[in-house]
Amino acid sequence: MRRRLMLGALAALAALAGLVPTAHAAGSWVAEAPSVRAAIVGRETASEALTPPAGTEGRIREVRWRFRTPPGQGGHARLCHPAGCVTLPGPRGRSTALAGLPAGEPLSFRFSPLPGQAPLAVEGLQVIVNFQ
């Protein structure tokens, strides 16, 4: 029993001294961006940056998103991190495609209309980033 207490105390001291890596606490952040208008086929229009709170650390586990387009209108949509992008299959959903990337980096949406389509108005842009 005494040996177990000693080992526990040594492990705690090592963690405090930075000798043993400690896990980041799990968390999430939410961000919204103003509406965008994508007008040119094949040329993406980026949203304003969806920025995490200052001091956010850890790695992305999952990203949830949502946005709205006029009824009957769609387009190409991607969610981008400085290290890469994921194609979004619809106006709301979730993905682990960005898992492992730094959670403290800003994200942005990117949209373009489909060929023959009128300019695409996109509203209600929101992301929820879950991280560890």
Side-chain angles (χ1 to χ4, degrees):
M1 177 73 155
R2 186 172 183 198
R3 183 173 183 202
R4 192 177 301 149
L5 289 173
M6 283 284 273
L7 289 176
L10 287 173
L13 285 173
L16 286 173
L19 300 175
V20 176
T22 56
H24 291 285
S28 65
W29 58 269
V30 178
E32 296 179 353
S35 302
V36 297
R37 186 171 186 263
I40 302 172
V41 174
R43 182 173 293 183
E44 292 181 321
T45 299
S47 70
E48 285 187 14
L50 299 141
T51 308
T56 298
E57 293 185 13
R59 299 287 173 176
I60 294 173
R61 279 192 351 238
E62 176 187 71
V63 177
R64 295 174 184 254
W65 72 86
R66 72 176 182 185
F67 58 85
R68 291 186 312 273
T69 57
Q73 269 197 309
H76 296 286
R78 297 192 309 153
L79 182 63
C80 295
H81 181 279
C85 298
V86 58
T87 298
L88 304 178
R92 67 177 356 165
R94 64 183 182 186
S95 175
T96 56
L98 300 176
L101 297 177
E105 296 289 330
L107 302 177
S108 65
F109 284 100
R110 296 184 185 177
F111 300 99
S112 64
L114 298 172
Q117 185 179 49
L120 181 64
V122 189
E123 300 176 331
L125 289 74
Q126 182 185 63
V127 293
I128 301 172
V129 177
N130 296 312
F131 62 91
Q132 179 69 44

